[in-house]
Amino acid sequence: MPHQPVIDGFEFASAGATQQGVWPLSDFPRLREALASDAGEVAYEINGVRDERGRPSLRVKVRGTLQLRCQRCLEAMPFEVQTDETLVLAATVAEIHDEPADAHAPDRVVAGREMSVRDLIEDELILAVPYAPRHESCNGRAATAADAKASPFAALRGLIRKH
C-alpha cells in the first residue's frame, strides 16, 4: 500500500503551510463508481489559511478532467473539475453543531492530527460530480433497425393494425 500523506489540520492551517501535487484517479476508491474510466490524474493544492472570522481553515483546490458516464446515452463524457473550497476546521463535531445553520457559510470539518490528504481531495471530487451527468446536447441512444426488429412489441403492432 502506498504512503498516504497526512497533515495535522490545526498546525497546517496555523502555519499557513501549502501542499500541492498530482494524484492518480485510480487512487480514489469512493469516486471510482461514478467514473466511466479511472485513467488520468488531478492536480491539487491545499493551503492553510484563516477564514474571514479568523478561524483556522484549509483552502482546497482540485483541477482535472473526470471521465463520467452520460446518463442519457451511457457513453463516456469528459467533465472538467475546478474546485476552490475553504473548509473551516473545528475541534469537535459538537462545535460544528453549536453553530447556527447557514447555507452560505463555508463547510466545517473536524480537524485531526492525521487528516488524510487523499480523503480531502476525494471528498472535493465527489462533491463536484453532478447527480445525473449528461452531454450538453445529448439525444440519447439512437434506435437502430436491429433494435426495432428485436422489440418484444413488434408483434403487437401488427395485431393492433389488423383490428
Side-chain angles (χ1 to χ4, degrees):
M1 180 175 196
H3 171 68
Q4 300 295 328
V6 295
I7 59 172
D8 179 326
F10 282 117
E11 185 178 307
F12 192 89
S14 297
T18 296
Q19 186 174 112
Q20 60 186 12
V22 176
W23 211 296
L25 289 170
S26 59
D27 279 359
F28 300 117
R30 293 180 294 136
L31 176 68
R32 259 188 259 149
E33 67 187 45
L35 301 177
S37 167
D38 65 2
E41 54 195 22
V42 292
Y44 72 92
E45 181 178 336
I46 299 175
N47 298 302
V49 296
R50 297 255 175 206
D51 75 347
E52 67 278 350
R53 292 175 38 194
R55 298 174 295 184
S57 306
L58 300 175
R59 186 170 179 191
V60 182
K61 298 178 187 179
V62 182
R63 308 245 184 291
T65 303
L66 305 178
Q67 291 299 317
L68 303 180
R69 186 154 318 279
C70 174
Q71 296 302 297
R72 284 195 176 163
C73 68
L74 302 178
E75 295 296 321
M77 60 173 269
F79 180 76
E80 292 292 321
V81 172
Q82 292 189 5
T83 69
D84 186 350
E85 296 296 326
T86 299
L87 305 174
V88 178
L89 302 177
T92 64
V93 173
E95 181 183 330
I96 295 171
H97 291 299
D98 287 345
E99 192 169 303
D102 180 2
H104 303 290
D107 290 333
R108 301 285 312 264
V109 296
V110 176
R113 289 191 166 280
E114 294 189 358
M115 296 179 74
S116 167
V117 171
R118 182 185 60 82
D119 288 349
L120 288 169
I121 297 165
E122 186 173 28
D123 289 347
E124 289 305 314
L125 290 169
I126 289 169
L127 290 170
V129 172
Y131 179 72
R134 63 179 190 229
H135 292 102
E136 244 180 73
S137 59
C138 183
N139 297 326
R141 191 172 74 97
T144 63
D147 289 340
K149 289 179 186 175
S151 170
F153 300 105
L156 290 176
R157 257 188 246 122
L159 291 173
I160 292 172
R161 289 182 187 143
K162 289 180 184 176
H163 292 159

